[in-house]
Amino acid sequence: MKQRIECSRRYCRWTGRESELSKVLDHKHASRSFKVYNRVCPKCGCDSYYDLPEPIITERVEHANALIKVISEHGRKFFDYKGTIATLELDKNGKVWVVDEYTKARVYTHYQGSWRGFNHGGTLRELVCAMRDYIVKGKQLSIEWIAPNRWNPENGDIWGYGIEAAAAVSAAAAQLPIIKSKEAA
Ligand SMILES: [Zn+2]
């Protein structure tokens, strides 16, 4: 696999593979006789980026990503942007990052301030934090995390998935190892 990289621009932080960089004509070097192409960030066009180590994927990281996948396959398809699914990963220091499906930014999930590059609101941020705690500490999630109802279920779920999709995503999530089983609750 090609080298993993991250755009150096603070407001961009696009994360991807070297092979995904866009090829543009470098006008500084272009002449009549030959053309030089630069490889640039596909999001912001910047030509400076860092090498990123390969993500560390443990069994619990896989369990968390399985939940993201289930959520992305139902209702409003949270965490899915045109077929790109958000992913969680660990670094060598045991810290958890989420690569956002829309901004392609790699977001540090232990940060208390605002998450630059995370395209969702507080509800899904809290869910990501719960998945982070599962990855780090093995603390399983209650099924109540998944498309939770408002006080009155007739008002629908907080995610706005709708009754059918909320029931389906909840049933699918309940089968996953990251979710606490009813007996263990
Ligand atoms: Zn960029």
Side-chain angles (χ1 to χ4, degrees), residues 24-178:
V24 294
L25 185 63
D26 186 341
H27 292 287
K28 292 191 291 281
H29 298 109
S31 77
R32 259 176 245 128
S33 54
F34 68 100
K35 285 174 177 167
V36 175
Y37 286 93
N38 251 2
R39 309 279 279 163
V40 300
C41 169
K43 195 172 144 197
C44 76
C46 160
D47 64 358
S48 118
Y49 30 82
Y50 312 115
D51 284 354
L52 263 189
E54 288 301 316
I56 297 168
I57 305 294
T58 64
E59 194 175 45
R60 291 210 292 253
V61 172
E62 283 178 351
H63 293 165
N65 284 328
L67 176 58
I68 288 183
K69 185 156 190 296
V70 159
I71 293 168
S72 78
E73 287 168 345
H74 291 86
R76 295 165 63 194
K77 298 179 179 283
F78 285 157
F79 300 121
D80 173 358
Y81 178 70
K82 294 182 177 175
T84 299
I85 315 290
T87 50
L88 288 162
E89 61 184 55
L90 262 177
D91 67 17
K92 62 179 176 22
N93 301 315
K95 299 299 182 189
V96 178
W97 301 72
V98 58
V99 179
D100 188 276
E101 75 283 5
Y102 178 69
T103 67
K104 300 292 293 289
R106 190 164 158 272
V107 180
Y108 186 61
T109 66
H110 303 263
Y111 185 58
Q112 301 294 316
S114 76
W115 287 5
R116 193 194 304 278
F118 187 67
N119 88 95
H120 299 286
T123 306
L124 291 190
R125 172 175 163 157
E126 281 172 32
L127 176 65
V128 168
C129 288
M131 290 193 269
R132 171 201 69 201
D133 290 346
Y134 172 75
I135 291 170
V136 175
K137 301 170 194 156
K139 190 171 166 258
Q140 283 175 305
L141 278 66
S142 149
I143 192 66
E144 268 84 66
W145 276 100
I146 307 306
N149 281 321
R150 297 174 197 277
W151 291 110
N152 180 350
E154 283 175 18
N155 294 335
D157 57 285
I158 286 170
W159 293 3
Y161 262 39
I163 291 169
E164 271 180 43
V169 70
S170 176
Q175 308 298 315
L176 299 175
I178 192 172

Side-chain angles (χ1 to χ4, degrees), residues 7-9 12-14 41-46 48:
C7 173
S8 68
R9 277 205 184 142
C12 177
R13 286 289 155 86
W14 176 89
C41 169
K43 195 172 144 197
C44 76
C46 160
S48 118

